[in-house]
Amino acid sequence: MNTSTEQITVKKVTTSRLPEVDFDNLVFGSTFSDHMFMCDFKDGAWQDATILPYGNLSISPAAKVFHYGQAVFEGMKAFKDEDGNVFLFRPEENFERINKSSKRMAIPEFPKALFFEALHKLLALDKDWVKGGLGNSLYIRPFAMATQVGVAAAPANEYKFMILMSPVKAYYTGDVKVTIAQKYSRSANGGVGAAKAAGNYGAQFYPTNLAREKGFQQVIWTDADEHKYLEEAGTMNVFFRINDTLITAPTSDRILDGVTRKSVLAIAERDGIETDVRRLTVGELVAAAKDGSLKEIFGSGTAAVISPVSAFGYNDEIFELEKPQDSYSERFKKELMDIQYNRAQDPFGWRYPIA
């Protein structure tokens, strides 16, 4: 059945796959809802915006995305409260960031009205895929990729913008053990570290695999020049609590401007917790771990929200962290999730209702 809206053609599934899904045993990002959004850039304009049943694409092996990595993405979530209402969390930030990433990768920016119309219509169609209950959510993956056929080393002139949705539970179920990078780097000055470019993440997999062979789940990335300054943790921004001060690296062209990171800083400021946005050295961290002033390390990101670090490794030494009774990570996670699931007031205006 095809129906037209002002901008988007909608092709609905005939039968939902929802009854086939075991929501108690989801593998993160492996199950997808009934519908997806697709829009093509050609002849200098975004066109043919369509919502259609989730399914495979037919794409040329010579599409430039495969050869030059012109691809960017975002991560968002939809939440359902106890009354069945659906909310997004700070979606304007995700929209602005995907266009910032696109600009850095020479991909045409996507129209705001079309982005939000696509989200509204997708979530209206697949509302039942958003399960209620703390920890349940619908992960939303907007992305853009170069589809022009040809292997000449130049930006493409044709692209595809898509949105997929995947029901998920918690990303990490326990604390994370990390190692501090001393050889490999996530990004460098003047590079694309501040963009959610696909290649950023692919380049992390090998050093992360090496870390896992040594018993760590993730890597805390350091600067590419000296491996002296602490920057990010795995695919997350990272926070360090030394005594009662919360420290995190400033954003730059190497460090992603995380939505959850911004939210943690805003909640900390509201709650009267001292924050210090500055470059923290590995030496300072190790000294704080040794003298007992290091209270917590945690990552922040859309998938995991807040992910506590139970131990870190450096120079073949392991530093264990005991979770304090007044845990900042637990506090921030609860306060963020209470806003996301409409369990508390939202003084920041972050909750975005879906009609």
Side-chain angles (χ1 to χ4, degrees), residues 180-186 206-207 210 219-227 314:
I180 294 176
Q182 294 179 262
K183 178 180 179 181
Y184 296 100
S185 301
R186 177 188 174 273
Y206 175 68
L210 296 179
V219 177
I220 291 186
W221 304 106
T222 51
D223 66 290
D225 296 328
E226 302 175 84
H227 295 291
Y314 183 70

Side-chain angles (χ1 to χ4, degrees), residues 9-58:
T9 299
V10 179
K11 303 175 181 179
K12 296 182 181 179
V13 297
T14 53
T15 304
S16 174
R17 291 178 285 103
L18 193 62
E20 305 166 12
V21 178
D22 181 358
F23 282 88
D24 293 324
N25 294 287
L26 293 169
V27 176
F28 191 96
S30 296
T31 301
F32 295 91
S33 69
D34 286 325
H35 298 91
M36 62 185 186
F37 172 76
M38 187 161 60
C39 188
D40 291 317
F41 184 89
K42 52 189 176 182
D43 301 325
W46 289 103
Q47 53 194 278
D48 302 328
T50 307
I51 288 174
L52 68 164
Y54 174 84
N56 294 337
L57 300 177
S58 177

Side-chain angles (χ1 to χ4, degrees), residues 314-343:
Y314 183 70
N315 279 347
D316 298 321
E317 194 171 0
I318 303 295
F319 298 89
E320 302 283 348
L321 297 173
E322 291 187 14
K323 187 175 292 184
Q325 288 188 340
D326 62 338
S327 167
Y328 282 4
S329 62
E330 287 185 352
R331 175 177 181 170
F332 290 133
K333 186 168 187 174
K334 181 182 186 303
E335 293 191 21
L336 278 168
M337 293 180 73
D338 281 349
I339 292 173
Q340 291 169 338
Y341 287 89
N342 196 23
R343 295 158 59 100

Side-chain angles (χ1 to χ4, degrees), residues 57-130:
L57 300 177
S58 177
I59 187 169
S60 168
K64 288 200 174 188
V65 65
F66 300 131
H67 303 275
Y68 302 110
Q70 266 189 293
V72 298
F73 68 94
E74 267 300 320
M76 310 168 62
K77 280 182 177 177
F79 307 89
K80 184 173 282 185
D81 70 8
E82 293 177 354
D83 297 322
N85 303 304
V86 175
F87 300 90
L88 296 172
F89 182 74
R90 308 191 73 176
E92 295 251 359
E93 297 282 344
N94 298 102
F95 168 75
E96 290 174 5
R97 192 170 62 184
I98 198 168
N99 274 344
K100 181 180 177 182
S101 298
S102 293
K103 186 175 182 179
R104 180 62 182 84
M105 296 300 292
I107 297 171
E109 295 179 41
F110 198 73
K112 182 175 182 178
L114 193 53
F115 180 84
F116 279 92
E117 183 182 351
L119 286 174
H120 276 271
K121 294 191 180 303
L122 273 173
L123 286 166
L125 285 169
D126 289 351
K127 184 177 180 179
D128 291 342
W129 287 81
V130 191

Side-chain angles (χ1 to χ4, degrees), residues 23-313:
F23 282 88
D24 293 324
N25 294 287
L26 293 169
V27 176
F28 191 96
S30 296
T31 301
F32 295 91
S33 69
D34 286 325
H35 298 91
M36 62 185 186
F37 172 76
M38 187 161 60
C39 188
D40 291 317
F41 184 89
K42 52 189 176 182
D43 301 325
W46 289 103
Q47 53 194 278
D48 302 328
T50 307
I51 288 174
L52 68 164
Y54 174 84
N56 294 337
L57 300 177
S58 177
I59 187 169
S60 168
K64 288 200 174 188
V65 65
F66 300 131
H67 303 275
Y68 302 110
Q70 266 189 293
V72 298
F73 68 94
E74 267 300 320
M76 310 168 62
K77 280 182 177 177
F79 307 89
K80 184 173 282 185
D81 70 8
E82 293 177 354
D83 297 322
N85 303 304
V86 175
F87 300 90
L88 296 172
F89 182 74
R90 308 191 73 176
E92 295 251 359
E93 297 282 344
N94 298 102
F95 168 75
E96 290 174 5
R97 192 170 62 184
I98 198 168
N99 274 344
K100 181 180 177 182
S101 298
S102 293
K103 186 175 182 179
R104 180 62 182 84
M105 296 300 292
I107 297 171
E109 295 179 41
F110 198 73
K112 182 175 182 178
L114 193 53
F115 180 84
F116 279 92
E117 183 182 351
L119 286 174
H120 276 271
K121 294 191 180 303
L122 273 173
L123 286 166
L125 285 169
D126 289 351
K127 184 177 180 179
D128 291 342
W129 287 81
V130 191
K131 292 300 179 183
L134 211 59
N136 297 322
S137 60
L138 189 65
Y139 185 80
I140 302 170
R141 170 52 61 89
F143 65 102
M145 60 181 175
T147 54
Q148 180 191 352
V149 174
V151 295
N157 57 29
E158 293 183 359
Y159 297 87
K160 193 177 290 290
F161 187 99
M162 300 188 67
I163 302 176
L164 310 178
M165 303 197 302
S166 174
V168 296
K169 300 182 81 68
Y171 192 72
Y172 295 117
T173 54
D175 293 356
V176 178
K177 189 176 177 182
V178 302
T179 184
I180 294 176
Q182 294 179 262
K183 178 180 179 181
Y184 296 100
S185 301
R186 177 188 174 273
S187 61
N189 292 333
V192 296
K196 285 186 77 72
N200 286 353
Y201 297 80
Q204 293 185 37
F205 296 157
Y206 175 68
T208 302
N209 284 345
L210 296 179
R212 286 176 177 161
E213 290 173 5
K214 296 181 179 180
F216 301 98
Q217 286 81 46
Q218 281 292 355
V219 177
I220 291 186
W221 304 106
T222 51
D223 66 290
D225 296 328
E226 302 175 84
H227 295 291
K228 176 180 178 180
Y229 296 99
L230 300 153
E231 298 199 333
E232 292 196 350
T235 58
M236 300 177 287
N237 295 114
V238 63
F239 287 86
F240 306 91
R241 177 186 176 187
I242 296 180
N243 291 318
D244 290 330
T245 299
L246 195 63
I247 302 170
T248 193
T251 56
S252 66
D253 57 9
R254 297 185 317 280
I255 297 175
L256 190 72
D257 189 11
V259 177
T260 311
R261 172 189 176 278
K262 290 181 183 178
S263 305
V264 167
L265 288 171
I267 289 174
E269 182 179 352
R270 181 198 66 180
D271 293 352
I273 293 171
E274 185 177 349
T275 60
D276 193 359
V277 179
R278 68 173 177 90
R279 302 176 82 190
L280 181 71
T281 68
V282 178
E284 287 181 88
L285 180 70
V286 170
K290 288 181 176 179
D291 68 22
S293 59
L294 177 64
K295 306 300 183 185
E296 291 180 85
I297 303 173
F298 60 88
S300 68
T302 298
V305 186
I306 300 292
S307 185
V309 171
S310 61
F312 73 90

